[in-house]
Structures are given as structure tokens and as C-alpha cells.
């Protein structure tokens, strides 16, 4: 059923969450057993207050996160999504993840709704660059401002361009696929509902149940990489 819908769809939108990243060995923030927030209090480490008043701790925390991302590699599922974008089977990827793995795998049309750790930008003038300087403790911009990670911190709004793109793509979708999101965080959890309201079929692929399973046309509780590999193989049958 998934293969039929996928290869017949005219405008497929994919939403990815932490479950996509964990299959590349990255820790989920909110999982009950080994989520990163069990070890670190987000209000202490990932907030504007921490950036302003506890800068040394803030820098150490994000250097640690970036280092772990640099060690990770996109799993095969990322490359399938990239190939499907090139072939026109996928219109865009909306992601809650900040690891940059979609772009590293070659996806171009990506809405990073919580920002990205792949870049840093000056909190004063907005000049952006790669994260190499941050990793070398070069955290001051030429204007004197602080070069901070490009992620959304607690207490900050989501990036308007990414959210606008997500809204527009969702309205046009005739197939909306959720990959590895618990759908517990707004506004990402509203997009499957909006897609459904506009007539799209909704597919949720996640290890565990979500509270939006009831609106889905298809729910698959399996490993994402395996499902995408099978979907790719269906094309050749």
C-alpha cells in the first residue's frame, strides 16, 4: 500500500524527527531511557540565559554536541530521501532535527524548523559561517558579537522562513509521511493534521505509537531504514 501511494503521489512531503537521527547513532533528547535531557537540563544549557550568563558552559555543551554530530554519518534512509527528491518522488523534507544529516546526504529542499548545528551566526550582526571556528573557540565575530550555534534555543522563536515553507508544502501535499517523530512538539505535530485536512494521505512510520496515529491512513511501527529500503526495492519490481 505504501509503495503504491508513494510512487503515484504528485506532491509528497516528509517530516522527520529524532527517530531518524537515532538510527545514525545520535541520542534522542526526550526518550525515557537515554534521552539527552535526562543528563542535561535544557533550561541550564540550551537557553538564551545560558548563552548570556553562563557562556563558557554554553560553549562547552554545544562543542560536545557538534563533536558528536561530526562523528555521525547519515544512514541509508537519508540517501533514499535525497535520491527521491532528485527523481521528483519527494517535494521536500521538513525536519525537527538540527544535525544537518539531510543536507549532508544531498537533500536540498529541507526546512530545518529548529535550526541547525552545521552553522553558527553572530547574535548581533547575523553573519553566518560553518561551525569550525566555534569548535576552535573562535566565538567572537569581527563586529564584536558572539558567534552562536544556529539552533533555536529555549525562549527563542522558530525560524520564520522554515515554518512558512513547511506550511506551504503541507497544503500542497497529497501524501504526507512522518519518519521517526513522536509528534509531541508543536508546530511540527500540526502539519500531519493540516495535510489530512487538505486531502492528503498521512503515513506515520515510528518505533512507538503517537497520539496522532488515529488520523493516519497507515501506521508502521518499524525501523525507518528498513521501511525505506523496502520502498526503494518496490520501484524495481
Amino acid at each position: 500500500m505504501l509503495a503504491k501511494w508513494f510512487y503515484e503521489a504528485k506532491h509528497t512531503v516528509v517530516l522527520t524527527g529524532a527517530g531518524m537521527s537515532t538510527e545514525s547513532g545520535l541520542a534522542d533528547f526526550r526518550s525515557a531511557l537515554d534521552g539527552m535531557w535526562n543528563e542535561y537540563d535544557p533550561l541550564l544549557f540550551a537557553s538564551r540565559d545560558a548563552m548570556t550568563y553562563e557562556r563558557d558552559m554554553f560553549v562547552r555543551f554545544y562543542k560536545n554536541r557538534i563533536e558528536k554530530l561530526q562523528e555521525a554519518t547519515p544512514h541509508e534512509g537519508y540517501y533514499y530521501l535525497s535520491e527521491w527528491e532528485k527523481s521528483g518522488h519527494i517535494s521536500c523534507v521538513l525536519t525537527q532535527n538540527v544535525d544537518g544529516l539531510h543536507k549532508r546526504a544531498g537533500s536540498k529542499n529541507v526546512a530545518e524548523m529548529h535550526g541547525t548545528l552545521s552553522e553558527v551566526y553572530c547574535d548581533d550582526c547575523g553573519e553566518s559561517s560553518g561551525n569550525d571556528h566555534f569548535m576552535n573557540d573562535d566565538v567572537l565575530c569581527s563586529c564584536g558579537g558572539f558567534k552562536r550555534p544556529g539552533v533555536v534555543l529555549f525562549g527563542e522563536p522558530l525560524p520564520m522562513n522554515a515554518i512558512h515553507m513547511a506550511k506551504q508544502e503541507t497544503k500542497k501535499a497529497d501524501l504526507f509521511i512522518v519518519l521517526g517523530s513522536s509528534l509531541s512538539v508543536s508546530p511540527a505535530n500540526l502539519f500531519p493534521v493540516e495535510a489530512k485536512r487538505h486531502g492528503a494521505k498521512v503515513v506515520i512510520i515510528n518505533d512507538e505509537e503517537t497520539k496522532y496515529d488515529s488520523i493516519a491512513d497507515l501506521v508502521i511501527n518499524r525501523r525507518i531504514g528498513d521501511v525505506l529500503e523496502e520502498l526503494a526495492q518496490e520501484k524495481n519490481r
Side-chain angles (χ1 to χ4, degrees):
M1 186 181 298
L2 174 59
K4 183 177 187 300
W5 292 348
F6 181 74
Y7 290 111
E8 290 181 355
K10 304 299 183 185
H11 197 101
T12 296
V13 174
V14 175
L15 167 66
T16 65
M20 191 76 182
S21 297
T22 56
E23 291 186 20
S24 280
L26 295 172
D28 178 3
F29 278 122
R30 295 176 175 82
S31 68
L33 295 177
D34 58 358
M36 192 176 292
W37 290 155
N38 293 330
E39 183 178 355
Y40 299 104
D41 182 343
L43 295 180
L44 291 179
F45 290 88
S47 66
R48 284 202 65 87
D49 282 349
M51 184 177 72
T52 303
Y53 302 113
E54 298 288 347
R55 184 156 294 174
D56 288 345
M57 180 182 69
F58 178 88
V59 170
R60 287 198 305 272
F61 172 68
Y62 276 105
K63 282 178 65 176
N64 179 260
R65 286 200 64 194
I66 293 170
E67 186 175 23
K68 290 180 178 178
L69 293 184
Q70 291 174 338
E71 295 170 354
T73 56
H75 59 73
E76 194 65 23
Y78 285 97
Y79 291 100
Y80 286 130
L81 296 181
S82 173
E83 291 169 9
W84 287 328
E85 180 188 294
K86 293 172 185 173
S87 65
H89 291 300
I90 286 177
S91 298
C92 72
V93 173
L94 320 178
T95 187
Q96 297 172 269
N97 303 329
V98 298
D99 48 46
L101 292 181
H102 284 294
K103 291 184 176 179
R104 282 168 60 182
S107 292
K108 304 294 185 185
N109 202 22
V110 182
E112 295 173 315
M113 296 185 290
H114 293 172
T116 178
L117 283 173
S118 300
E119 299 176 356
V120 299
Y121 68 89
C122 176
D123 199 50
D124 288 347
C125 73
E127 180 181 355
S128 64
S129 63
N131 58 29
D132 291 343
H133 293 294
F134 188 87
M135 294 303 289
N136 293 323
D137 294 320
D138 179 13
V139 296
L140 290 181
C141 180
S142 56
C143 76
F146 176 60
K147 292 192 289 189
R148 43 79 52 92
V151 294
V152 177
L153 302 176
F154 283 88
E156 293 183 328
L158 299 180
M160 290 181 60
N161 289 344
I163 298 304
H164 178 73
M165 173 181 167
K167 289 179 178 178
Q168 295 304 309
E169 292 290 338
T170 296
K171 289 178 181 178
K172 293 185 286 186
D174 57 355
L175 178 62
F176 193 100
I177 302 175
V178 178
L179 297 177
S181 176
S182 63
L183 298 176
S184 58
V185 177
S186 295
N189 59 4
L190 302 179
F191 293 127
V193 179
E194 187 69 5
K196 184 77 172 180
R197 191 170 72 84
H198 282 85
K201 288 184 172 64
V202 173
V203 177
I204 298 177
I205 303 171
N206 194 50
D207 272 349
E208 301 174 350
E209 295 180 356
T210 79
K211 65 179 181 179
Y212 291 92
D213 285 0
S214 60
I215 74 158
D217 298 277
L218 179 64
V219 175
I220 302 174
N221 296 128
R222 291 178 54 206
R223 188 176 177 275
I224 296 166
D226 293 341
V227 175
L228 297 186
E229 181 176 2
E230 290 173 7
L231 185 57
Q233 291 173 351
E234 286 289 336
K235 178 68 172 177
N236 301 319
R237 291 180 181 175

